[in-house]
């Protein structure tokens, strides 16, 4: 029986708050033991027959001296483009990119082709996910075909394995549909996540209306597009017990609306992307389509408000919105290129560089918003380190600084403005279900 013994690492577990130097013994996909010191000799199964006991040679010892040992990261907002758009990414390559970035659990969005609005497509996605080295989950669609007209059979999708519901990529415009969806997900005790952009006020999405849109000579997306939709959905959720996830928040006003809803006792959660807490519309001017995304990068005050929201708990989660596109697509002019950037392989380093090293939060808090909190919101057995818990663990060297290079990207895609940037922090190993999923 193969076992893994992690020795000499500094363990961070935001869920229990028990941080410190510990050894961890992994067996059968679970954490068997956590102690100040575990000797290899103590891992051998004594008293068993020769054919069944674990021998010393069956134990892989990992020296984590100088490394941070943390629960595997959890991303509740990824696009693996499978089925339908596998020239951009597929579940296999997306999972490899996730493992390299330290993610052991990801939740796929449902705007595939066909969309994840039937049990058959849900089964396809989850079955393919089981063939990867990480835990691949998926949301089901809120409406059939992402059309915003007719609710999916949420009961059937939940029974088939959905962990939440969303029409991400397309805002839900009909209030009666939104309210009914909230009521149903409340009954199911599952989160419903919203892409908050009002298309009626947007001309040429993906670029902020302001300095960036003026630079490109286009209409762009005003901040009110997000603010109005967040306000509407908070109002619709009043009196319900629905768990609401406001996706990829981009405006200071949006952050404040969520803050007020939380203070009123509502079950409102919010995601921030690494690009929204790291960049402003200046990056869109510099990088063009490589920094075009929905919602767009906005102003410095918005970036700082997002960081403040992460610090005070208004924003519960960091989620990448990993959105791969081909080089050909992103080479089109600004109004024709699709929105979105990849993010799984840079998220942790951006958090360490722009949040921890910048003095906004501790590494413990960063792991909380990248692992423990998202797992809790989506009811996943992840985001913690405990005996008998899942052996989903990452080893991080927070001292290393590296330049992010295109040739080292594990994703099929390379659409990101962070190529060439020096980032702090490196995932040295990702262990998922007790097996090594990635090793630097």
């Amino acid at each position: 029986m193969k076992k893994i013994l992690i020795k000499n690492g500094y363990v961070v577990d935001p869920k229990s708050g028990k941080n410190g130097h510990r050894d961890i013994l992994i067996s059968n996909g679970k954490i068997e033991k956590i102690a100040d010191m575990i000797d290899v000799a103590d891992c051998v199964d004594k008293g068993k027959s020769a054919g069944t006991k674990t021998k010393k040679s069956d134990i892989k010892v990992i020296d984590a001296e100088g490394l941070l040992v943390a629960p595997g990261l959890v991303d509740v907002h990824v696009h693996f483009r499978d089925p339908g758009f596998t020239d951009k990414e597929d579940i296999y390559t997306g999972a490899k990119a996730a493992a390299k970035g330290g993610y052991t659990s990801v939740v796929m969005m449902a705007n595939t082709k066909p969309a994840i609005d039937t049990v058959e497509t849900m089964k396809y996605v989850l079955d393919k996910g089981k063939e990867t080295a990480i835990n691949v989950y998926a949301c089901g669609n809120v409406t059939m075909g992402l059309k915003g007209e007719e609710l999916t059979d949420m009961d059937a999708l939940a029974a088939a394995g959905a962990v939440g519901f969303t029409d991400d990529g397309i805002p839900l415009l009909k209030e009666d549909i939104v309210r009914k969806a909230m009521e149903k997900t409340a009954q199911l005790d599952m989160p419903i996540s919203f892409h908050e952009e009002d298309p009626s006020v947007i001309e040429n999405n993906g670029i902020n209306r302001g300095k960036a849109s003026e630079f490109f000579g286009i209409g762009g997306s005003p901040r009110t597009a997000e603010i109005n939709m967040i306000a509407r959905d908070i109002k619709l959720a009043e009196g319900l017990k629905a768990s609401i996830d406001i996706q990829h928040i981009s405006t200071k006003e949006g952050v404040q609306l969520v803050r007020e809803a939380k203070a009123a006792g509502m079950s409102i959660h919010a995601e921030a992307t690494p690009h929204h807490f790291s960049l402003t519309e200046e990056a869109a001017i510099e990088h063009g389509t490589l920094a075009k995304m929905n919602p767009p990068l906005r102003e410095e005050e918005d970036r700082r408000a997002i960081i403040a929201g992460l610090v005070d708990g208004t924003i519960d989660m960091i989620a990448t919105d990993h959105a791969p596109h081909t080089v050909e697509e992103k080479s089109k002019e600004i109004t024709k290129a699709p929105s979105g950037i990849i993010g799984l392989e840079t998220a942790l380093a951006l958090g360490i560089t722009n949040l921890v090293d910048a003095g906004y939060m501790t590494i413990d808090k960063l792991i909380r918003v990248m692992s423990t909190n998202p797992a809790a919101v989506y009811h996943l057995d992840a985001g913690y380190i405990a005996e008998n818990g899942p052996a989903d663990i990452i080893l991080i060297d927070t001292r290393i600084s590296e330049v992010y290079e295109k040739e080292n990207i594990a994703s099929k895609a390379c659409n990101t403005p962070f190529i060439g940037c020096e980032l702090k922090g490196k995932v040295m190993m990702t262990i998922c279900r007790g097996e090594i999923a990635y090793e630097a």
Side-chain angles (χ1 to χ4, degrees):
M1 184 67 67
K2 287 285 185 182
K3 295 186 178 184
I4 296 176
L5 176 60
I6 303 171
K7 291 190 64 66
N8 307 316
Y10 187 86
V11 178
V12 171
D13 177 41
K15 186 172 183 178
S16 68
K18 295 178 180 178
N19 301 340
H21 285 92
R22 305 279 192 280
D23 290 353
I24 299 175
L25 179 63
I26 293 170
S27 178
N28 294 317
K30 296 284 188 179
I31 296 174
E32 181 179 318
K33 185 178 180 181
I34 303 173
D36 291 343
M37 199 277 287
I38 301 174
D39 194 276
V40 176
D42 296 332
C43 304
V44 175
D45 295 328
K46 301 177 179 68
K48 290 189 176 183
S49 63
T52 60
K53 72 179 183 179
T54 301
K55 302 183 291 293
K56 194 171 182 179
S57 60
D58 292 329
I59 301 165
K60 181 176 179 62
V61 180
I62 298 168
D63 186 0
E65 180 71 38
L67 302 182
L68 198 73
V69 181
L73 305 182
V74 178
D75 192 344
V76 298
H77 191 154
V78 303
H79 299 270
F80 281 176
R81 308 302 193 197
D82 191 353
F85 307 100
T86 53
D87 55 331
K88 304 170 188 267
E89 190 84 280
D90 59 49
I91 291 171
Y92 301 136
T93 58
K96 286 180 181 178
K100 186 175 181 182
Y103 288 92
T104 54
S105 297
V106 297
V107 178
M108 282 182 55
M109 296 294 96
N111 59 339
T112 50
K113 188 176 183 179
I116 310 178
D117 56 6
T118 66
V119 168
E120 290 74 20
T121 308
M122 178 64 71
K123 184 177 186 304
Y124 164 84
V125 165
L126 296 182
D127 284 351
K128 199 166 181 180
K130 289 173 184 174
E131 298 172 10
T132 73
I134 66 166
N135 303 306
V136 177
Y137 302 96
C139 282
N141 284 111
V142 174
T143 66
M144 294 300 298
L146 296 160
K147 294 179 179 178
E149 300 286 342
E150 175 191 358
L151 290 181
T152 57
D153 187 342
M154 292 186 178
D155 291 297
L157 287 168
V163 296
F165 292 91
T166 184
D167 272 10
D168 176 56
I170 300 177
L172 288 164
L173 301 180
K174 292 192 173 182
E175 293 188 6
D176 61 328
I177 288 288
V178 172
R179 180 80 178 185
K180 287 176 182 176
M182 288 178 176
E183 291 170 346
K184 172 50 74 173
T185 54
Q187 291 172 12
L188 292 168
D189 190 26
M190 297 173 74
I192 180 169
S193 51
F194 291 101
H195 183 124
E196 304 288 37
E197 290 190 293
D198 181 358
S200 70
V201 298
I202 297 173
E203 181 186 352
N204 312 124
N205 205 357
I207 298 296
N208 184 53
R209 183 172 294 176
K211 194 177 199 179
S213 64
E214 289 173 7
F215 175 84
F216 290 109
I218 61 176
S221 173
R223 60 200 309 107
T224 52
E226 175 177 278
I227 299 164
N228 294 346
M229 291 288 281
I230 292 176
R232 184 205 71 171
D233 288 340
I234 288 174
K235 184 172 181 59
L236 288 173
E238 289 178 358
L240 299 180
K241 294 182 179 179
S243 178
I244 309 299
D245 175 10
I246 305 298
Q247 297 177 307
H248 41 47
I249 201 163
S250 72
T251 60
K252 62 182 180 181
E253 294 90 348
V255 174
Q256 183 59 26
L257 284 167
V258 172
R259 182 177 286 115
E260 292 168 0
K262 280 180 177 284
M266 298 180 69
S267 183
I268 303 288
H269 308 283
E271 306 167 5
T273 70
H275 41 276
H276 283 112
F277 69 65
S278 297
L279 303 173
T280 67
E281 62 181 341
E282 300 284 350
I285 293 171
E286 179 181 357
H287 297 283
T289 63
L290 290 179
K292 177 185 178 183
M293 70 277 296
N294 301 340
L297 300 171
R298 299 204 188 270
E299 301 174 21
E300 177 63 12
E301 284 190 4
D302 299 300
R303 188 186 75 85
R304 291 185 177 276
I306 289 166
I307 292 174
L310 285 165
V311 170
D312 70 16
T314 297
I315 301 172
D316 318 77
M317 303 171 280
I318 290 174
T320 67
D321 192 12
H322 178 80
H325 294 292
T326 66
V327 172
E328 291 74 21
E329 288 174 310
K330 278 293 192 177
S331 296
K332 295 177 181 178
E333 60 187 90
I334 195 73
T335 56
K336 294 181 180 178
S339 292
I341 69 171
I342 59 171
L344 286 163
E345 297 171 59
T346 51
L348 179 61
L350 285 167
I352 292 171
T353 303
N354 295 328
L355 297 178
V356 178
D357 274 18
Y360 293 109
M361 63 173 59
T362 62
I363 191 71
D364 179 275
K365 179 63 179 286
L366 180 65
I367 298 299
R368 179 181 295 278
V369 295
M370 294 189 75
S371 180
T372 310
N373 286 358
V377 172
Y378 278 75
H379 308 304
L380 307 180
D381 186 23
Y384 65 100
I385 294 178
E387 291 182 355
N388 299 313
D392 296 350
I393 292 173
I394 55 173
L395 277 58
I396 309 163
D397 194 329
T398 59
R399 304 162 297 184
I400 293 178
S401 289
E402 283 189 339
V403 175
Y404 183 52
E405 302 283 7
K406 183 186 293 187
E407 56 266 26
N408 296 327
I409 295 175
S411 170
K412 273 188 185 181
C414 58
N415 53 303
T416 170
F418 294 112
I419 290 173
C421 292
E422 185 171 340
L423 301 176
K424 184 87 171 287
K426 180 180 177 69
V427 176
M428 305 306 294
M429 182 176 290
T430 300
I431 299 169
C432 185
R433 302 189 297 266
E435 300 286 342
I436 296 174
Y438 168 78
E439 187 170 5

